[in-house]
Every structure is written in C-alpha cells, then in structure tokens.
Amino acid sequence: MTVEAPYGAWESSITTEMLTAGVVGLSEPRLDGDDVYWLEARPAEAGRVVLVRLSGVGPPVDVTPAPFNVRTRVHEYGGGAYAVERSTVVFSNFADDRVYRLSPGHRASVAITPAGPMRYADLVLDHARRRVLAIREDHTDPADVVNTLVALDLDGDNDGGGTVLVAGADFISSPALAGDGRSLAWVTWDHPAMPWDATTLWLAELDDSGAPTGARRVAGAASESAVQPHFRGGRLHLISDRTGWWNLAARGDDGALEQLAAGDHDFADPQWVFGLSDYAFLGDGRILVRWYSAGIATLGVLDAAGTLAPVELDLVSCEHLRTHGDTAVFVAGFAGRPTAIVRLRTDTGVSEVLRQATDRPIDPGDISRAAPLQWNNADGETVYGFFYSPTNAAVQAPADELPPLLVVSHGGPTSSTDPSLRLELQYWTSRGFAVLDVNYGGSTGYGRAYRERLKGRWGIVDVEDCTSGARHLVDHGLVDGARLAIRGRSAGGYTTLAALAFRDDFAVGASHFGVGDLAALARDTHKFESRYLDGLVGPYPAAEQTYIDRSPVHHAAQMHCALILLQGLDDRVVPPNQAQEMADAVRANGSPVALVMFPGEGHGFRQAANIVRAIEAELYFYGRVFGFEPAGRLEPVPIDNL
C-alpha cells in the first residue's frame, strides 16, 4: 500500500541517523601477505580515522587505538598516511603530524619524528635499509612551505626531520622503490601547474648509502601528466596522458615508453590526495587495471598481449587497487548496495566483501538507481551526468505534480562523480526530489580535452553545463521548472553560487563551504592550490578584474533567489569569512538567506552531529522556500528575508 504526499514531503526510511550511525568511510586497503589493512573514517568518533587489520577468519581489529587519527595534512587533503610491510606499520597521526612505528609484537606506537612544523605523507617502507621514504612538507616558515622527499630512520627519532633525498621542486609525490631496492622513481611539478596539468617523472639509481644518483626525466612535459610510478622487478610502469587519455605505459630497455593499455579511456584519477593506486601487478605477470567509460568504472585484467578482460563484478566505481600474488583488494562502489572493501581472487574470479560502509538494511524500494544522461550545452558540446528519479516504495505523488530538481555540482572542480550508492543522495530522492549529478566540462574520466574545457572558464562552463542539464530535464517534462535547486561542496559550492549570481534558472541553492570570492581564495589558500586558479581563471593579480567579474560575492545584488550556506569554522581551504561575506551580501540584497556555521569542522564535515544538522538544515530550507512541509521533526534554521 502506498500513500499520497507532495514531492519533497515524503516520509523516508533513509534517515539522517543512517548517514552517520554505523557508517564509516573506507579507503586505502593494503595487503601484507594474507593480512588485509584499510582505513575507516568514523563519524561517530568525531571523524577519527582508524587503521584496521583483517587476519585469517577472525573479525577485523583496530590497529591504532584512540586517540590516534591516521591522517596527514600534507597538501591539506592528505592521503598515503600509512604503510605496512612484514607486519611493521608506520603511520602519520593527525593531531601532532608525527610519524609513528608499530612493529610486530609491540602494543605501543613509537614516534619516529619530532613534534614540530613538519608533516609527512606517501609513506613507503624500505626494510632493507631500515628506513621510511616520505614526502615531507615543512611549515617552519608558513610563508614559504617547502616540500621534499626524505628518508626517516625506522629505528631512530629523526630529530632533524629526516634526510633529504630530493628537493628543488614546488611539489614532490609518489616515491616508488624497485623490488631489488636499487632504483627509485618519483613525480614532481611546479607552480602554476597542478598534477593533472604537467608533471615530471624521475628515475634514479640508489648508491650504497641509499641516496639517489644520476636522476633523469623519463616522462612528463609541459602538457603531459605522468603519474603513479610502480616497478615490476626493475621495470618502471606509469600512467601518462600524452595520448590525450591517462593510459598505462612501461619504460623499455631503450628508455622509450611502451603503451600497454591505450585507447580513449582514463586509467587514473586526478592526484588530489597521496597514495593513489589505479593499477597493480598480479603474480602471473598480468596487471589489474581500472578504467572509465562515460563516468562508470570497469575493473579488468591486462595481459602481455595488451588484451583487456573485464572482471565480472557489478561495481560502478573502484579505487585503491592493491595486490599480493593473485589476490587483490580495493574499494568498490555499487549502484544498489553500500561501498565496500572487496577481496578478489583473480585466478578463480571469486570475490568477497570484507567490510561495508554500512551494515544498516536499506529497503531496495527506496533506492533510486542512476540513469546515465547526456545532453548538449549552449555551445553544442556534450555534457555527462547521472539522473535519479524520486523513488519511495511507500509513497506516491499527486498525478498532476512534477518533482523539484536538485542539481549537484561536484567538488574539485578537477574531479568527477559516479553512480555508486550514496545515502546522502538517496536521502533526497526518497523524499521526492529528482537529482541530476553533473560531470560538467572540467571533470575527469573523459580524457584531457574534456578536462581542459574549464581552463580559463571556471564559473562559465560548469555553470552552463549544470543549467543546461536542468533545462534539458524541464524540456522533457521530467521535473518542475519552477522548483529548480542547485547544491555543491567546495568548488561545487562555487558553481552553485555562480549559477545563482549569474543565471536565473534556479530558485534556491545550497553552498557547502563554497567559494564566494575568487580573489580571496587566490590570496588566502594553502600552497597546493595557491596557483590552481591561474589555469581556471587567470594569473592573479594580473587578471584581477576577471576574478571580480566571476566572484558571486560581488554580484549578490543581481541574485534574486534563496541561499543557504553551511560552513566549517576551522576550514583552511575556504576560510569561513567567505561564507560570512556571501551571506551578508545576499542579506543586504533582500533575498532569503541562511548561514549555519560549524565549530570544529574543517573543509568537509566529519562529526556525526554536524553531518546530520547540515542536511536537515538544507531540507528545512527547501521546505520553507518551495512551500512543502518535510516529514519528521527538523530543527528550524534562522532565515533572513523570508
């Protein structure tokens, strides 16, 4: 039996409590022999990230007890915060930025770096030399942050912060050690490039002291992103987009690069974080790879003849591939069930779920599955996204009503979205919202040319692609053109604000820690992104007028729609003053506005109570603006001008 209720007012089995209670974020699985390790981000523990191990047939156990938080702040986004080999674990602790060692047979973690202004990421164990290779970010002078590749004595206290092996570049990442320990590869890039724009991949021999000698460039150029070096034996492999797509390649005996898996597919993700691993070697000589087609991932095996054979799994996203022999582990996303750590026996094809992001039962009748969607923008270019229809097994809408549409603009902006099950998105569809999740021009997974559509045109291309997608759905009679909303986080928050300031398609928007003032972002942000806007907007301050022209905060007078802003007070990527200034400007314009600040939160909400408050505040705001009464009890949000 179903009941009738207006769109947006549906009672749903997917509650805000389900978004946090018993839910964990899963990342960076590793294999150490038969043991499987991974990281769990736990909202119920104030966002603490815990290293977990699964051995044999017993249950998973926590390796790092409270209060340890296995995160690093290098580049602010972190990644590569731990390494494990032969049961020895090293990890970075978020609270003090120190690296700790946890060895077999020892319960206590021992700090091997001093407290101070240095941060570490991309940890690699070099057991033969009893050391750890790491990217070090030195904040001794906050105005001149220095990145180097260092070696840390595994058994010492490293009072000086480690021995510098590689220096001189603005950024360094991805140290890779050959199996015989005689060669080392790494990646560098310099301002104003980002790692998906232009990198250099280096190769060197290691002398008797373990120092690199004879370093030479083996890949990368001003218009080439070469990433993820790994060795099989002494042969170097990497992913390069010199073909226009991130394809897998290997270095031949003559030094030339041989394409192993080519074609119009991206085999890599953009390096926002350290520790990415989008391919891995199998014991029988084949390579486990992941590639994208129209924004959907496929996992497959590449043989010596260059043949790609898909693995028969129903996943739609896949990352952090790691192998040992013919066993693989990875994080897999699925269309109809939660994201999970999966172990795959590639010799038999047998897979098993080791840990799900949530074990809470979800009514299949309340799950809206993504429909891949393509449309043309005003320039006639193809745009990609995923459309989710309102879905709820217990409720139906009046026959004469069309649903409100919620357009989602992903962060980055050099990033992408995929159709894997996300309970936060299902929270909306199960309440009667249609959702369009947009991979606007500039998104990854569609080749370098698509990625570079946004160059110099951030705030133009992304806004056009989101609004044209909404209008496409209106024109096809799928959504209510008078009830269009847009939401986004970080860079997606900027797209949201720009769409509201420069277009009149949307009646309401929600910015989660979004950018309102581009010039302020260029002046105030951290080193990693401090020149990012050179490519997206133009060099600052030379292009200052362009920054003003595209900053929503300077154009609030023409914003005649409703806006809610949700912002962490400890955000170092997008400082909270940007949300305050945007709210002040909209308030002065007389448009409806709400500002909700979250103490103790940075760039992204990690605490369970704040995650719940943010999404319920957004639903409450939409209800007030669109004139429906949301189901359940929601804490009111102060709204000005409404």
Side-chain angles (χ1 to χ4, degrees), residues 42 47 50 99 159 183 195 218 221 312-313 325 337 380 382 390 403 417 438 516 600 642:
R42 298 174 178 171
V50 182
V99 176
D159 279 343
S183 300
V218 296
E312 295 301 322
L313 290 173
R337 53 194 173 104
T382 302
T417 188
V438 184
L642 184 67

Side-chain angles (χ1 to χ4, degrees), residues 366-563:
D366 289 348
I367 295 177
S368 178
R369 290 178 177 255
L373 191 68
Q374 297 181 25
W375 65 93
N376 290 334
N377 62 20
D379 294 326
E381 299 169 320
T382 302
V383 187
Y384 302 90
F386 300 99
F387 178 66
Y388 297 81
S389 300
T391 304
N392 188 313
V395 190
Q396 64 180 15
D400 59 350
E401 185 182 359
L402 288 173
L405 174 68
L406 192 56
V407 174
V408 179
S409 54
H410 65 70
T414 307
S415 184
S416 62
T417 188
D418 62 65
S420 56
L421 178 69
R422 298 195 298 281
L423 288 184
E424 183 179 338
L425 188 151
Q426 301 293 328
Y427 176 90
W428 299 106
T429 56
S430 63
R431 282 166 172 75
F433 284 80
V435 173
L436 176 61
D437 207 0
V438 184
N439 273 329
Y440 48 79
S443 301
T444 50
Y446 302 88
R448 187 178 182 105
Y450 194 84
R451 194 166 77 236
E452 292 188 340
R453 281 188 190 178
L454 209 57
K455 274 196 169 293
R457 299 199 294 165
W458 192 29
I460 299 173
V461 169
D462 48 324
V463 169
E464 165 58 29
D465 289 355
C466 287
T467 54
S468 62
R471 286 298 164 196
H472 175 83
L473 294 173
V474 171
D475 292 345
H476 283 75
L478 297 174
V479 300
D480 184 351
R483 294 192 293 172
L484 302 181
I486 184 169
R487 76 188 300 258
R489 291 183 168 92
S490 188
Y494 167 70
T495 299
T496 293
L497 294 173
L500 300 177
F502 304 124
R503 305 289 287 264
D504 59 4
D505 300 81
F506 297 99
V508 60
S511 170
H512 296 245
F513 38 93
V515 180
D517 187 339
L518 292 174
L521 181 65
R523 292 190 303 263
D524 299 339
T525 196
H526 55 110
K527 179 185 177 182
F528 178 61
E529 293 186 88
S530 62
R531 300 290 300 278
Y532 188 21
L533 299 191
D534 282 31
L536 293 173
V537 182
Y540 187 84
E544 184 174 12
Q545 189 58 49
T546 303
Y547 280 71
I548 294 172
D549 292 343
R550 294 203 204 151
S551 293
V553 71
H554 298 302
H555 302 275
Q558 63 197 45
M559 187 182 292
H560 301 291
C561 55
L563 173 65

Side-chain angles (χ1 to χ4, degrees), residues 30-50:
R30 307 282 176 88
L31 281 161
D32 185 35
D34 292 330
D35 291 348
V36 185
Y37 292 76
W38 64 82
L39 295 177
E40 292 188 5
R42 298 174 178 171
E45 297 183 37
R48 187 172 76 95
V49 179
V50 182

Side-chain angles (χ1 to χ4, degrees), residues 40-102:
E40 292 188 5
R42 298 174 178 171
E45 297 183 37
R48 187 172 76 95
V49 179
V50 182
L51 180 62
V52 177
R53 180 182 68 241
L54 177 65
S55 298
V57 296
V61 297
D62 290 357
V63 176
T64 50
F68 284 117
N69 188 356
V70 186
R71 287 176 58 198
T72 172
R73 294 189 293 165
V74 179
H75 292 181
E76 298 300 332
Y77 297 106
Y82 85 98
V84 57
E85 186 178 335
R86 304 178 200 174
S87 299
T88 295
V89 173
V90 289
F91 65 91
S92 174
N93 183 44
F94 185 72
D96 57 12
D97 295 318
R98 303 176 77 177
V99 176
Y100 289 78
R101 182 194 73 240
L102 183 61

